[in-house]
Amino acid sequence: METINRNEHDFHAGDMVRAEVRTGQYVGELVELNGPRALVKVLAVLKHPEQGDLHSPYNPDVPMFHERRALSYTEKTTVLLRDLKSYSGPVPDYKQSLLAAAEAEIAGLDRLQRWSAKGLEQLIQLKKEYDK
């Protein structure tokens, strides 16, 4: 069995890991090690991927505003070893974890939208005062 030592953790095929893939985070089973990468089978979603252009975060005026779906249940994905951490504890149900992650992302965007609207409102008021 192949083993990789990363920051005092030995990873083995069959280990449960937390994997960061682009802007999403997943719980999965390490299937195979291949040099600086590992093949991980997705079992749950911890953080839903962010939407939009990753190179222009929070900019809605980009040529292509990307839709990013979460990786599917049992989908296999390659992950750099630096983006893996050991995972212990119960593995959440995929469907429930997917819905919870999507709800958390929606709540975060809603909070950001409300913050932005309040900030805009205050700046417009300040600008009026500045014009006096």
Side-chain angles (χ1 to χ4, degrees):
M1 177 182 291
E2 186 178 359
T3 301
I4 299 285
N5 184 300
R6 181 189 169 270
N7 296 337
E8 301 176 16
H9 289 99
D10 288 332
F11 289 119
H12 305 275
D15 286 351
M16 298 307 293
V17 294
R18 178 183 178 129
E20 292 191 28
V21 180
R22 293 175 208 76
T23 59
Q25 294 177 1
Y26 303 88
V27 174
E29 177 185 349
L30 197 150
V31 176
E32 181 181 294
L33 295 163
N34 187 12
R37 299 182 182 272
L39 186 65
V40 174
K41 179 170 68 171
V42 173
L43 300 176
V45 182
L46 297 176
K47 182 187 177 301
H48 196 280
E50 294 174 9
Q51 304 305 298
D53 185 344
L54 296 181
H55 302 291
S56 302
Y58 306 113
N59 182 359
D61 304 318
V62 291
M64 183 167 188
F65 195 90
H66 297 274
E67 173 190 275
R68 288 199 175 67
R69 293 180 170 268
L71 297 175
S72 302
Y73 181 64
T74 70
E75 181 175 347
K76 292 180 182 80
T77 186
T78 344
V79 181
L80 288 170
L81 291 177
R82 69 171 189 232
D83 295 332
L84 286 182
K85 293 181 182 165
S86 294
Y87 182 83
S88 60
V91 176
D93 173 75
Y94 177 81
K95 183 74 169 187
Q96 290 174 351
S97 70
L98 173 64
L99 293 173
E103 280 297 321
E105 194 69 16
I106 289 168
L109 288 173
D110 178 61
R111 189 171 43 257
L112 180 63
Q113 183 179 27
R114 290 182 289 117
W115 173 85
S116 178
K118 259 194 177 206
L120 180 60
E121 182 182 310
Q122 286 180 335
L123 281 170
I124 289 171
Q125 185 59 41
L126 284 170
K127 184 177 178 287
K128 288 177 186 175
E129 290 178 25
Y130 297 157
D131 282 340
K132 291 181 184 178

